[in-house]
Amino acid sequence: MPHEFEVSHEIELDASPEEVWQAIAEGPGIDSWFMGHSELEPREGGRGSQTFGGDFTMGSTVTAWEPGKRLAYRGDENPEDGTFMAFEYLIEGRERGSTVLRFVHNGFLGDDWESEYDALKIGDLQYLNKLAAYLKHFRGRISTHNLMLWGPQASHAQAWAAFQDVLGLTGGITAGDRVTVTLDGVAPEEGVVEWVTDPGAFIGVRTTDGLYMFIHGQGTVVVEHHAYTDIDGQALEQSWQGWLAKTFA
């Protein structure tokens, strides 16, 4: 039986309402911080799609389109059980060019709704943190290559140790830490930890021309990366796939 849910968050962003709108309502802007690949027809009643992992696509319909103020869309219902997810962004400009964004995520979840709801409460906020980092450091730049790789199941301790190792850290991970992302086959990248959420293990890392998020959610290791300069995306993906396979063998 479907269970109704709602998750809401509010965050202040170092960007104008117009810049926030570009990041949440235009395909290239969405792809520059969100997971997978997104397309959105720019009108109320327009169709949208989000593709995750290259083979799963979620369709949606735009239910509100007020540029610079409000965007809402509703995912298509699952024909098997009637579950769906809906999303709303409310934009409010503030002084000195900043913006407050209120995000509401609701709909109906399936039988495993409690664990899904707990994951959404944590996960939604991480993507808002990622949006904030993008708008603060890479505003106006468009991602040239997006990476989202699912790894194997692992314990929290295994995932945390692996994240520390690939970042060149020991004794923990803290926002503000200087790191070096070191991976076989690609040049090391200097960066800084933007935010950390633990338990849950979400780590945001900013480099000169990229934004990473390392995830250990519901037992699964995930690596995300957005590049804001020309790179060999295939080589980078192969290197991260090799790291996942070797580290969690």
Side-chain angles (χ1 to χ4, degrees), residues 183-220:
L183 202 63
D184 291 342
V186 295
E189 290 183 88
E190 303 293 324
V192 62
V193 176
E194 285 288 315
W195 80 92
V196 180
T197 299
D198 184 34
F202 288 83
I203 304 160
V205 173
R206 168 179 55 88
T207 63
T208 302
D209 292 305
L211 189 60
Y212 284 95
M213 187 156 74
F214 300 93
I215 304 169
H216 181 247
Q218 295 183 298
T220 301

Side-chain angles (χ1 to χ4, degrees), residues 123-159:
D124 283 352
L125 182 57
Q126 309 315 309
Y127 282 95
L128 293 180
N129 288 336
K130 197 175 171 193
L131 172 63
Y134 165 67
L135 288 170
K136 182 177 181 179
H137 300 287
F138 302 106
R139 183 169 59 241
R141 297 176 69 178
I142 299 300
S143 178
T144 58
H145 181 267
N146 291 355
L147 173 73
M148 186 175 189
L149 290 178
W150 276 274
Q153 290 279 299
S155 70
H156 178 79
Q158 287 175 314

Side-chain angles (χ1 to χ4, degrees), residues 167-187:
L167 295 174
L169 295 174
T170 58
I173 304 174
T174 305
D177 283 347
R178 302 298 304 184
V179 302
T180 302
V181 184
T182 304
L183 202 63
D184 291 342
V186 295

Side-chain angles (χ1 to χ4, degrees), residues 10-236:
E10 187 172 283
I11 189 169
E12 186 167 356
L13 301 170
D14 184 16
S16 68
E18 293 74 21
E19 290 166 332
V20 173
W21 180 262
Q22 290 173 351
I24 66 172
E26 298 179 6
I30 302 170
D31 287 355
S32 295
W33 64 275
F34 197 54
M35 66 176 79
H37 173 65
S38 298
E39 295 183 4
L40 203 61
E41 188 179 357
R43 63 178 181 85
E44 186 171 338
R47 290 291 294 167
S49 66
Q50 293 178 328
T51 301
F52 311 101
D55 56 3
F56 173 74
T57 298
M58 182 182 76
S60 62
T61 299
V62 177
T63 56
W65 184 269
E66 300 175 43
K69 296 181 180 179
R70 180 175 177 238
L71 168 67
Y73 52 94
R74 185 182 188 275
D76 298 341
E77 286 188 9
N78 184 329
E80 296 182 1
D81 59 11
T83 56
F84 71 90
M85 294 187 182
F87 307 84
E88 182 179 34
Y89 296 90
L90 298 168
I91 300 171
E92 181 182 340
R94 293 289 175 88
E95 294 180 355
R96 297 183 298 278
S98 67
T99 298
V100 170
L101 179 68
R102 184 166 185 264
F103 172 77
V104 181
H105 183 181
N106 59 16
F108 285 86
L109 298 173
D111 292 337
D112 193 25
W113 68 273
E114 290 178 310
S115 63
E116 289 186 65
Y117 178 70
D118 288 342
L120 290 174
K121 282 196 301 182
I122 298 172
D124 283 352
L125 182 57
Q126 309 315 309
Y127 282 95
L128 293 180
N129 288 336
K130 197 175 171 193
L131 172 63
Y134 165 67
L135 288 170
K136 182 177 181 179
H137 300 287
F138 302 106
R139 183 169 59 241
R141 297 176 69 178
I142 299 300
S143 178
T144 58
H145 181 267
N146 291 355
L147 173 73
M148 186 175 189
L149 290 178
W150 276 274
Q153 290 279 299
S155 70
H156 178 79
Q158 287 175 314
W160 199 254
F163 294 156
Q164 288 185 89
D165 184 63
V166 79
L167 295 174
L169 295 174
T170 58
I173 304 174
T174 305
D177 283 347
R178 302 298 304 184
V179 302
T180 302
V181 184
T182 304
L183 202 63
D184 291 342
V186 295
E189 290 183 88
E190 303 293 324
V192 62
V193 176
E194 285 288 315
W195 80 92
V196 180
T197 299
D198 184 34
F202 288 83
I203 304 160
V205 173
R206 168 179 55 88
T207 63
T208 302
D209 292 305
L211 189 60
Y212 284 95
M213 187 156 74
F214 300 93
I215 304 169
H216 181 247
Q218 295 183 298
T220 301
V221 176
V222 182
V223 176
E224 296 187 19
H225 178 254
H226 302 265
Y228 305 108
T229 188
D230 290 334
I231 64 167
D232 186 340
Q234 184 176 5
L236 183 67

